Amino acid sequence: MGVVKLEVVPAGVFTTAYDVLSDGLPRGRIEHRIPSLRDEAVISTPDRTFTARRERVFRAGAVLESPEGVLRARAEREGVWREDYRIRFEGTTFSLRQKRMSWRGLFLISDESGEIGSIRLERLFSRRMVVEFTADAPPPLEITEFLVWIVLMVHRREASSG
């Protein structure tokens, strides 16, 4: 069983776009749309482009849709006080859970078999992130980028409240 590792790096100093790299090569991009009332982003893979957005302005759930408006994935926040999410796509369910008291903003990714990966800041106060999957078959790239986008929204919300 190998480890799949992706790097998520800001596209520039003052940008809200992030490039997703594998072995230093671009694999995708997450572009946050600033003027949107509800958090929204364009998620790109080499083949397709998707839209990630909160379902409603004051709702914690989010969806990932194709340009045709077809639902690809749905994320629901599981609690009021914790940043735990349940993500469903194609009959598969993932759990994205923020680890408490983590200096690197660690989020653990689990499925029904147990922990399969993580998303964390590269280092304290960095905007760069590392995504690692220990599973033999990690989720598709757009689903991984959707998970990263949720983590980015949590980091942004925590930074604005603290």
Side-chain angles (χ1 to χ4, degrees):
M1 177 181 355
V3 174
V4 175
K5 183 176 178 180
L6 298 171
E7 296 173 86
V8 180
V9 299
V13 176
F14 299 108
T15 183
T16 58
Y18 289 80
D19 291 320
V20 179
L21 311 175
S22 176
D23 296 324
L25 300 173
R27 294 271 319 276
R29 180 172 257 210
I30 303 166
E31 296 181 59
H32 185 70
R33 293 184 182 160
I34 294 296
S36 175
L37 264 180
R38 50 186 172 184
D39 289 323
E40 193 171 283
V42 174
I43 290 179
S44 305
T45 68
D47 314 335
R48 304 212 41 208
T49 300
F50 299 86
T51 300
R53 62 177 173 76
R54 285 193 306 175
E55 288 184 278
R56 294 184 195 96
V57 176
F58 295 110
R59 178 134 184 195
V63 294
L64 180 67
E65 296 176 333
S66 71
E68 301 82 29
V70 176
L71 182 68
R72 179 77 173 110
R74 178 181 306 278
E76 287 291 331
R77 190 168 171 185
E78 293 192 313
V80 176
W81 307 111
R82 299 195 60 171
E83 295 294 347
D84 294 349
Y85 292 84
R86 177 174 291 140
I87 294 87
R88 292 186 176 95
F89 77 99
E90 294 179 353
T92 303
T93 301
F94 284 126
S95 171
L96 179 66
R97 183 175 50 87
Q98 185 177 29
K99 186 168 182 184
R100 295 285 159 218
M101 307 306 283
S102 169
W103 294 106
R104 289 193 179 177
L106 178 65
F107 282 77
L108 302 174
I109 304 164
S110 305
D111 65 9
E112 53 279 341
S113 68
E115 189 177 313
I116 61 166
S118 65
I119 302 172
R120 63 175 170 79
L121 294 174
E122 186 178 72
R123 62 185 175 279
L124 192 61
F125 305 118
S126 173
R127 290 177 58 207
R128 297 174 68 107
M129 292 190 285
V130 176
V131 181
E132 292 180 313
F133 286 100
T134 55
D136 290 330
L141 182 59
E142 68 271 14
I143 302 300
T144 301
E145 290 182 87
F146 183 52
L147 296 173
V148 169
W149 176 73
I150 292 169
V151 170
L152 286 168
M153 295 304 97
V154 170
H155 286 305
R156 202 176 98 203
R157 191 169 44 243
E158 288 176 347
S160 67
S161 69

